[in-house]
Every structure is written in structure tokens, then in C-alpha cells.
């Protein structure tokens, strides 16, 4: 029989009555838990109605309420819904809270199901991002169209300011990085070509790689990290301070005012930076070839003229405006999506850089296939 001091059980016809007494508190934890477990064990599957009478309970705390909920849940699982009577009104709120939070946790999700669910969610997010990007591209093209129809509305001063920030101020870091890339390419090329006695072919490799692929790619990645993140942070901060909403209230289109000048500055600056970076990389390769490989500047330049054509230079320059537009659109879109917290600003700034670099690399691959198809 259960502990008679805390729980008593009686049966009458098809009715099972469980009566509680005394203090259902943590001070009597061992006796109370033992009594509840014994009651559950003895009457696991009652045939008729079940009534829990708590009129004799003098005090109850969270521990007692949890044990009462365990008792009810056991019989509920067996198909019998117990009825609680005699509960003091002062404990009603406690029981309601326990019933609300006391349900068993859902069964653990199997590992393969969790992976599939996460994959599905990520695919949905990718689709939503692609749709948002497409929508933003359309809004940006429409804003460019309005500016072309009304040239006097174009904010030339803003564009020049952005051109100074993303273009001229970026020249030192672009020169340094591309110079080092050219040096590394030449050193590694000479080190490996020397095994075959083909040191001179390092000039061909550097010329084609830098002018056609690496020059524009390295510069675009640098600009995505440097200027793209700055665009996102600026627009995100303006959105947090509700300055973008203020522009709309005043009748201005935020895309026309904020995005178009920034996008134009990037489209102008990136090809120029690509040219500067490519020349710096070739200069660095020439210095390393001279000092490490014994290829004099005259021989280097003569071989470079034979190895590259104007088409190699054009391919790199053709890519630059498209990559600039991609970086600018992604950066501005993420800035416009910032919420009202610093955490949101950080997340969207990170997402801006990652997405821009990813799209730049994908675009470079698409251009590579396109120019190969047209034999250029």
C-alpha cells in the first residue's frame, strides 16, 4: 500500500479514488515520491474512472506539483483521464504552470532526419535569398532608368565621394597585395619550371594568369571585403537609425539616393584598380624573375609581348564591371535588410562579404567558359 500518511487509495465499484494528505513539499521528498511510485505501480491500468482528491493537502510546492502531474500523466497514457478535486485555489496557478511546461519532450529526431531537415531549410533560405537578390536587381535597374531619364537627379557629388573612398584610397592595399601575388607566382613558377629547364615559361604563365584571371579576381575579392562590407555597414546603420525610412517619408527613393551612386563608383573604380593591380603583379613577377631566376627585364618584357595578346587584357577588363555590379548590389541589399540590433548588422555584414566573394568566383567561372566558347 502507498504511504498512508501522504496518499491513501480506495476503490468503489469502478471508481478509483486517490486521496492526498499532509504536506506535498520537498521536505517530504523521499516519502512522497515513494508513495506516488507505489500508487502508479499498484494501479497502472485502472478499469474505471479515477479521481484525485487533494482536499487533505495542507501545503504544496513545485516538487509536489510535479509528482501530481506525473501521476496524472501516467493514467492519461493508459487511456483514463483523472479528475482532480479539492485543490486549494492558491495552488491552482502552480498546477496550471506545471501542466503547461510539464509535458514530455518530443522524441529525439534521428540523425539522418535532422540532416535532411537542415538541408531543406537551407535550400529554402537559398531560394529566398535568390528571390530577394532578383527583386533588388530589378529595383536597382529601375532606379538607373529613372536617373537616365532625369540626369539632373543623379547625385554626382555623392558618386565622387564614394569613388574616392572605394577607388583612390584602395590603391595602396591593392598595389601591395597584387605585387606580392605576382612575386609568389613568379617564384613558384621558376622553382618548378627549373626542373625542366623551362624557366622562361614563367613569363607566359604570369602574363596569362594575371591579365586574364588572377588580377581581376584578387582585386574583386579585396574590394568585396573592403568596400562591400563598408557599404553594408553604412546602409545597415542608416536603417537602424531609421534614416532610410525618413528618406521614404520625404518622397525620395532610397535606392536612387543611396545605392545608385555607390554602384556607379564601384563600376568605375574596379576596372581601374584591376589595371593597376595587374601591372603591379607583373612588375613584382619581373623583379622576382630577375633576382631569383636570372631573367633580365629586357628578356622578360620581350617574352611577355610574345606570350600575351590584347585579348588577354580585354578578358580581364570585361569581367571587372560585372563583378563590381555584383559586389555593389549584394552589399547594398544586405545593408537594406539589417534589423534593429547590432547582432543583425554583424550578421548581414558577414553575409555580404561571403555572398559577394562566392558570386564573384562563380561569375569568373562562367566568364571563363563563355570566353573559351567564343575562342577568346
Amino acid at each position: 500500500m502507498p504511504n498512508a500518511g501522504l496518499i491513501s487509495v480506495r476503490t468503489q465499484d469502478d471508481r478509483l479514488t486517490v486521496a492526498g494528505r499532509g504536506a506535498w513539499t520537498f521536505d517530504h521528498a523521499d516519502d512522497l515520491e515513494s508513495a506516488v511510485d507505489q500508487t502508479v505501480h499498484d494501479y497502472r491500468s485502472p478499469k474505471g474512472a479515477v479521481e484525485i482528491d487533494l482536499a487533505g493537502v495542507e501545503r504544496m510546492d513545485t516538487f509536489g506539483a510535479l509528482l501530481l502531474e506525473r501521476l496524472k500523466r501516467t493514467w492519461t497514457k493508459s487511456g483514463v483521464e483523472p479528475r482532480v478535486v479539492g485543490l486549494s485555489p492558491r495552488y491552482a496557478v502552480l498546477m496550471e504552470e506545471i501542466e503547461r511546461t510539464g509535458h514530455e519532450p518530443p522524441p529525439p529526431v534521428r540523425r539522418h532526419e535532422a540532416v535532411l531537415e537542415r538541408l531543406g531549410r537551407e535550400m529554402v533560405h537559398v531560394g529566398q535569398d535568390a528571390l530577394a537578390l532578383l527583386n533588388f536587381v530589378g529595383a536597382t535597374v529601375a532606379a538607373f532608368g529613372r536617373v537616365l531619364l532625369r540626369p539632373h537627379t543623379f547625385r554626382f557629388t555623392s558618386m565622387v565621394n564614394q569613388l574616392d573612398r572605394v577607388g583612390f584610397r584602395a590603391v595602396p592595399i591593392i598595389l601591395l597585395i597584387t605585387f606580392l601575388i605576382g612575386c609568389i607566382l613568379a617564384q613558384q613558377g621558376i622553382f618548378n619550371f627549373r626542373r625542366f629547364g623551362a624557366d622562361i615559361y614563367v613569363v607566359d604563365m604570369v602574363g596569362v594568369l594575371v591579365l586574364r584571371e588572377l588580377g581581376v579576381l584578387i582585386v574583386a575579392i579585396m574590394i568585396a571585403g573592403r568596400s562591400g562590407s563598408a557599404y553594408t555597414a553604412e546602409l545597415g546603420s542608416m536603417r537602424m537609425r531609421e534614416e532610410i525610412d525618413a528618406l521614404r517619408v520625404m518622397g525620395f527613393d532610397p535606392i536612387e539616393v543611396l545605392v545608385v551612386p555607390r554602384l556607379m563608383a564601384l563600376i568605375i573604380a574596379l576596372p581601374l584598380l584591376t589595371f593597376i593591380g595587374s601591372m603591379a603583379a607583373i612588375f613584382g613577377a619581373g623583379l622576382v624573375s630577375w633576382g631569383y631566376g636570372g631573367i633580365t627585364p629586357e628578356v622578360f618584357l620581350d617574352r611577355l609581348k610574345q606570350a600575351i595578346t590584347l585579348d588577354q587584357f580585354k578578358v580581364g577588363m570585361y569581367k571587372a564591371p560585372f563583378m563590381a555590379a555584383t559586389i555593389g548590389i549584394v552589399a547594398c541589399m544586405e545593408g537594406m535588410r539589417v534589423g534593429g540590433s547590432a547582432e543583425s548588422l554583424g550578421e548581414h555584414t558577414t553575409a555580404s562579404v561571403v555572398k559577394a566573394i562566392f558570386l564573384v568566383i562563380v561569375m569568373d567561372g562562367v566568364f571563363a567558359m563563355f570566353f573559351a566558347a567564343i575562342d577568346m
Side-chain angles (χ1 to χ4, degrees):
M1 289 292 291
N3 190 319
L6 295 172
I7 294 179
S8 64
V9 181
R10 68 177 183 272
T11 58
Q12 184 178 6
D13 298 330
D14 291 335
R15 178 183 298 276
L16 175 68
T17 302
V18 179
R21 298 190 183 90
W24 282 37
T25 62
F26 185 76
D27 295 335
H28 304 86
D30 293 337
D31 293 338
L32 183 58
E33 189 167 15
S34 175
V36 169
D37 290 342
Q38 187 65 41
T39 303
V40 170
H41 180 269
D42 294 343
Y43 304 95
R44 181 172 296 276
S45 301
K47 303 300 182 183
V50 176
E51 182 178 272
I52 302 176
D53 185 3
L54 300 179
V57 175
E58 301 169 358
R59 288 183 295 119
M60 178 184 286
D61 61 7
T62 305
F63 184 80
L66 284 171
L67 288 178
L68 175 60
E69 178 64 20
R70 182 202 298 179
L71 193 63
K72 289 174 56 182
R73 190 164 58 241
T74 300
W75 284 324
T76 300
K77 288 180 179 179
S78 65
V80 179
E81 187 65 36
R83 186 168 66 96
V84 179
V85 297
L87 180 65
S88 175
R90 58 179 174 169
Y91 301 129
V93 176
L94 175 60
M95 283 306 304
E96 289 176 2
E97 186 65 20
I98 293 296
E99 290 175 358
R100 186 177 68 84
T101 60
H103 297 293
E104 290 184 352
V109 181
R110 295 179 182 176
R111 186 174 182 85
H112 69 276
E113 293 176 353
V115 171
L116 291 175
E117 180 184 2
R118 183 173 181 180
L119 179 62
R121 291 182 184 276
E122 291 300 324
M123 292 302 296
V124 170
H125 291 160
V126 169
Q128 291 173 344
D129 284 346
L131 189 61
L133 181 61
L134 186 61
N135 182 54
F136 196 81
V137 169
T140 304
V141 171
F144 266 104
R146 290 193 297 271
V147 169
L148 290 176
L149 292 175
R150 298 173 298 171
H152 63 280
T153 63
F154 179 63
R155 285 161 173 77
F156 183 78
T157 304
S158 177
M159 187 200 72
V160 172
N161 177 56
Q162 294 297 330
L163 187 60
D164 173 65
R165 297 179 60 191
V166 305
F168 295 114
R169 297 186 189 181
V171 169
I173 188 63
I174 294 296
L175 283 174
L176 176 61
I177 295 298
T178 52
F179 174 81
L180 293 176
I181 292 293
C183 293
I184 294 169
L185 282 176
Q187 189 273 334
Q188 287 296 305
I190 293 171
F191 178 77
N192 288 279
F193 288 162
R194 182 171 290 170
R195 301 175 183 177
F196 311 102
D199 299 28
I200 193 65
Y201 287 104
V202 73
V203 182
D204 303 57
M205 181 193 73
V206 170
V208 174
L209 271 180
V210 167
L211 293 180
R212 191 181 183 97
E213 300 291 340
L214 281 184
V216 63
L217 192 60
I218 294 298
V219 171
I221 291 173
M222 290 291 298
I223 292 300
R226 181 185 182 275
S227 303
S229 59
Y231 281 3
T232 304
E234 290 170 5
L235 297 181
S237 298
M238 294 179 69
R239 184 166 172 79
M240 290 171 63
R241 293 194 298 265
E242 300 183 352
E243 295 177 20
I244 293 177
D245 295 331
L247 285 174
R248 290 194 178 97
V249 170
M250 291 187 291
F252 295 104
D253 180 10
I255 294 180
E256 189 174 331
V257 174
L258 301 173
V259 176
V260 171
R262 286 174 166 80
L263 206 54
M264 283 297 299
L266 268 184
I267 292 174
I268 294 172
L270 193 57
L272 297 176
L273 292 174
T274 298
F275 175 77
I276 294 171
S278 298
M279 296 303 104
I282 291 175
F283 179 71
L287 285 181
V288 171
S289 298
W290 187 15
Y292 185 75
I295 302 174
T296 62
E298 293 80 7
V299 174
F300 184 91
L301 290 175
D302 184 62
R303 183 66 189 183
L304 189 64
K305 291 177 184 177
Q306 300 175 33
I308 63 173
T309 63
L310 187 60
D311 285 345
Q312 308 288 355
F313 175 74
K314 287 180 179 178
V315 166
M317 299 306 294
Y318 286 158
K319 295 177 184 178
F322 293 96
M323 291 184 177
T326 300
I327 294 168
I329 288 174
V330 170
C332 293
M333 180 192 74
E334 290 297 330
M336 292 289 192
R337 297 171 71 183
V338 170
S341 65
E343 181 182 4
S344 176
L345 178 62
E347 288 177 356
H348 284 282
T349 302
T350 302
S352 166
V353 175
V354 172
K355 291 176 183 178
I357 292 175
F358 171 76
L359 290 175
V360 161
I361 294 173
V362 170
M363 185 175 293
D364 186 69
V366 172
F367 270 115
M369 291 186 291
F370 171 75
F371 287 123
I374 63 175
D375 196 24
M376 183 174 180

